């Protein structure tokens, strides 16, 4: 009688807040992963992580020093386990200045499209009195500007953003605040989802363009939702607002998007993130990265189940970069000098 062989099953422990669990851990994902020999198991955050599992991989979006401590301890006892992703790498995305600074670390790759990329002009203001003194801003910033909280931790407060047309618009703002130049971008934003080496770019409606002559009559500030409402009210007024239908919006060159995705992935040492890109309508072939988020809402992405399952498989079979060859990173987490190999794949 022929000897039966059994395929090794893998286990992924996931540590996610309830809202994230509901959106991401859907039956369709769990079942597809199970078919591929991967069991998704919920981590009980009320119990020590080291007492659970053992897991081949820990997938998480939890923060705080206590959770970091639990991850370190878990890796001491389970040195072959993989963590997606390291807390110190994720932390960089909680600050809107350091978040975009990483874009400057990406090498521009020449392509046939001759497109370029960068970030908008931006500064952080810590003193309330400096908010209203536009001449002290520097960086070539002028009205209108977008005001964002410095901290980007996923809370409702961190998502409150204003479009500010004059100094009166700062009355209710409390520093630290990031001021970012407003760039007309055809009312379209490109959201790029990155899952390891997989890259997917989709287009979404965004803030409308604002004509120069309209700026003189605009004062104070508007929340992003108010700007959208104002647009619908004036949508037929081409003199003030130039609108672009989503269907008409040309996608960015995929070679450019892939290059940015690969560069960000390597520089940030992250596997799961998305970034927002706009096209500067004044330049045309100039693209600006305006936001980066860790572990975004992948369930909004068509076919996310197969993309994530493929990623899990690659990670568990060590085809995906495990530690980006970072001794420093592992020292922080494990307390030794061991490091995996960097199998950086083309995105």
């Amino acid at each position: 009688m022929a000897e039966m062989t059994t395929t090794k099953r893998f286990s992924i422990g996931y540590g996610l807040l309830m809202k994230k669990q509901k959106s991401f851990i859907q039956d369709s994902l769990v079942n597809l992963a199970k078919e591929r020999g991967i069991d998704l198991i919920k981590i009980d955050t009320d119990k020590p992580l080291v007492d659970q599992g053992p897991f081949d991989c820990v997938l998480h979006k939890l923060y705080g020093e206590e959770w970091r401590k639990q991850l370190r301890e878990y890796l001491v006892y389970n040195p072959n386990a993989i963590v997606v992703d390291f807390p110190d790498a994720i932390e960089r995305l909680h600050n809107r200045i350091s978040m975009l600074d990483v874009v400057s670390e990406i090498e521009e790759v020449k392509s046939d499209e001759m497109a370029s990329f960068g970030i908008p002009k931006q500064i952080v203001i810590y003193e309330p009195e400096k908010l209203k003194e536009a001449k002290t801003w520097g960086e070539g910033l002028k009205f209108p500007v977008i005001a964002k909280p410095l901290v980007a931790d996923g809370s409702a407060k961190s998502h409150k953003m204003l479009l500010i047309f004059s100094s009166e618009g700062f009355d209710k703002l409390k520093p630290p605040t990031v001021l970012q130049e407003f760039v007309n971008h055809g009312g379209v934003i490109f959201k790029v989802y990155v899952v390891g080496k997989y890259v997917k770019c989709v287009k979404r409606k965004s803030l409308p363009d604002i004509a120069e002559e309209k700026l003189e009559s605009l004062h104070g500030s508007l929340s992003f939702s108010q700007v959208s409402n104002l647009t619908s009210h004036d949508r037929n007024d081409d003199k003030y607002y130039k609108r672009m239908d989503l269907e008409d919006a040309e996608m960015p060159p995929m070679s450019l998007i892939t290059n940015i995705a690969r560069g960000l992935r390597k520089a940030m040492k992250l596997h799961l993130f998305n970034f927002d890109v706009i096209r500067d309508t004044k330049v045309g072939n100039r693209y600006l990265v305006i936001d980066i988020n860790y572990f975004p809402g992948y369930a909004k992405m068509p076919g996310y189940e197969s993309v994530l399952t493929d990623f899990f498989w690659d990670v568990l079979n060590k085809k995906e970069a495990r530690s980006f060859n970072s001794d420093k990173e592992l020292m922080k987490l494990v307390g030794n000098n061991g490091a995996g190999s960097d199998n950086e794949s083309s995105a």
Side-chain angles (χ1 to χ4, degrees):
M1 186 175 175
E3 185 178 335
M4 291 183 65
T5 58
T6 57
T7 306
K8 171 177 168 56
R9 294 197 69 81
F10 294 102
S11 63
I12 295 180
Y14 60 87
L16 304 170
L17 296 176
M18 187 55 68
K19 184 179 178 182
K20 191 71 177 176
Q21 285 180 40
K22 286 181 178 177
S23 67
F24 182 74
I25 305 294
Q26 297 186 15
D27 289 344
S28 52
L29 174 66
V30 173
N31 293 335
L32 185 59
K34 194 171 286 185
E35 288 174 18
R36 294 283 295 275
I38 302 168
D39 298 316
L40 295 175
I41 302 165
K42 180 180 176 180
I43 290 171
D44 187 342
T45 52
D46 292 329
K47 297 177 181 176
L49 180 59
V50 74
D51 294 340
Q52 301 180 62
F55 306 115
D56 297 293
C57 173
V58 174
L59 176 74
H60 75 102
K61 193 178 183 181
L62 298 174
Y63 307 118
E65 192 50 45
E66 177 57 31
W67 176 246
R68 285 174 182 243
K69 182 181 172 186
Q70 289 203 45
L71 280 175
R72 287 191 205 105
E73 186 180 13
Y74 186 81
L75 287 175
V76 168
Y77 289 98
N78 301 274
N80 292 322
I82 304 161
V83 173
V84 177
D85 275 308
F86 288 129
D88 287 343
I90 300 169
E91 187 72 28
R92 185 172 190 170
L93 297 187
H94 289 174
N95 177 300
R96 283 200 164 91
I97 295 293
S98 64
M99 170 201 293
L100 294 187
D101 280 349
V102 74
V103 177
S104 64
E105 299 173 26
I106 306 172
E107 291 182 27
E108 291 219 24
V109 175
K110 297 292 182 186
S111 66
D112 297 336
E113 291 88 354
M114 298 300 291
S116 64
F117 66 87
I119 63 173
K121 296 170 186 171
Q122 60 175 18
I123 57 165
V124 58
I125 302 289
Y126 293 97
E127 300 87 4
E129 59 275 10
K130 284 191 177 179
L131 278 174
K132 295 190 177 186
E133 298 175 17
K135 61 180 182 291
T136 67
W137 294 349
E139 300 297 323
L141 276 175
K142 61 180 182 178
F143 291 112
V145 292
I146 296 171
K148 308 177 177 184
L150 176 62
V151 176
D153 59 2
S155 64
K157 184 181 176 183
S158 73
H159 286 299
K160 286 188 176 178
M161 302 183 197
L162 297 174
L163 183 55
I164 297 183
F165 302 100
S166 63
S167 57
E168 297 89 345
F170 292 115
D171 288 345
K172 295 178 182 178
L173 275 182
K174 292 180 181 178
T177 299
V178 172
L179 300 184
Q180 189 180 85
E181 71 171 324
F182 175 77
V183 177
N184 278 338
H185 53 282
V188 177
I189 191 168
F190 302 100
K191 301 190 88 66
V192 183
Y193 293 91
V194 180
V195 184
K197 61 189 177 185
Y198 177 88
V199 180
K200 175 73 174 178
C201 182
V202 299
K203 49 189 174 181
R204 297 279 184 266
K205 287 192 176 181
S206 178
L207 297 180
D209 286 358
I210 302 176
E212 290 285 336
E213 57 266 31
K214 179 68 175 175
L215 287 176
E216 297 175 9
S217 63
L218 293 170
H219 299 280
S221 66
L222 289 173
S223 69
F224 275 28
S225 58
Q226 287 175 304
V227 176
S228 301
N229 291 337
L230 182 60
T231 313
S232 23
H233 177 69
D234 289 333
R235 68 175 49 173
N236 297 318
D237 194 342
D238 291 332
K239 181 181 175 185
Y240 292 154
Y241 291 99
K242 295 175 182 175
R243 293 185 55 76
M244 180 186 283
D245 288 332
L246 215 48
E247 301 75 39
D248 298 335
E250 183 184 346
M251 295 293 281
M254 202 57 204
S255 58
L256 179 84
I257 292 298
T258 301
N259 179 48
I260 298 174
R262 184 191 298 123
L264 287 176
R265 180 173 167 241
K266 194 170 183 179
M268 297 190 302
K269 300 180 175 64
L270 292 175
H271 296 85
L272 302 175
F273 61 94
N274 77 346
F275 58 97
D276 295 341
V277 177
I278 59 173
R279 180 191 292 115
D280 186 341
T281 52
K282 275 189 180 178
V283 184
N285 62 348
R286 175 78 172 164
Y287 293 86
L288 303 173
V289 178
I290 60 170
D291 198 18
I292 308 172
N293 299 288
Y294 179 65
F295 206 148
Y298 285 118
K300 298 173 188 171
M301 191 173 70
Y304 92 102
E305 299 92 344
S306 58
V307 173
L308 267 297
T309 301
D310 286 346
F311 168 71
F312 295 153
W313 178 259
D314 286 347
V315 166
L316 293 164
N317 286 279
K318 304 185 178 117
K319 293 178 183 176
E320 180 68 33
R322 292 179 57 175
S323 67
F324 294 94
N325 202 21
S326 172
D327 289 347
K328 186 179 177 185
E329 201 76 66
L330 282 190
M331 282 172 65
K332 288 180 184 175
L333 280 160
V334 187
N336 63 32
N337 287 323
S341 62
D342 182 356
N343 300 321
E344 175 67 17
S345 306
S346 61

